[in-house]
Amino acid sequence: MNVIKRFVNYCKACYEELAHKVTWPTYKELTQSAVVVLTASLVIAVVVWLMDVVFKAAMSSIYPN
């Protein structure tokens, strides 16, 4: 019974925190964050692609077919 009571108290505490203590981002903040993440992901993808191209060219010059 003690485990059930602790679980219920935990659920109530989680609800209280999510409903009253957490500050949720505004739509503008959310879209700005999404743009930052998308831009960073694209930049990293391009950097990895360039590294792959350079590595492939280097390996092709070392080990020609």
Side-chain angles (χ1 to χ4, degrees), residues 15-41:
Y15 173 78
E16 282 297 316
E17 186 169 347
L18 286 173
H20 302 293
K21 296 181 183 178
V22 173
T23 55
W24 298 98
T26 63
Y27 181 78
K28 185 178 178 182
E29 292 171 336
L30 194 60
T31 53
Q32 287 174 346
S33 296
V35 168
V36 169
V37 169
L38 180 62
T39 304
S41 298

Side-chain angles (χ1 to χ4, degrees), residues 51-64:
M51 290 170 57
D52 183 52
V53 169
V54 169
F55 186 71
K56 182 179 178 183
M59 289 296 109
S60 293
S61 66
I62 294 172
Y63 302 110

Side-chain angles (χ1 to χ4, degrees), residues 5-18:
K5 189 174 184 179
R6 284 180 24 207
F7 179 73
V8 169
N9 286 338
Y10 172 77
C11 290
K12 286 180 183 179
C14 288
Y15 173 78
E16 282 297 316
E17 186 169 347
L18 286 173

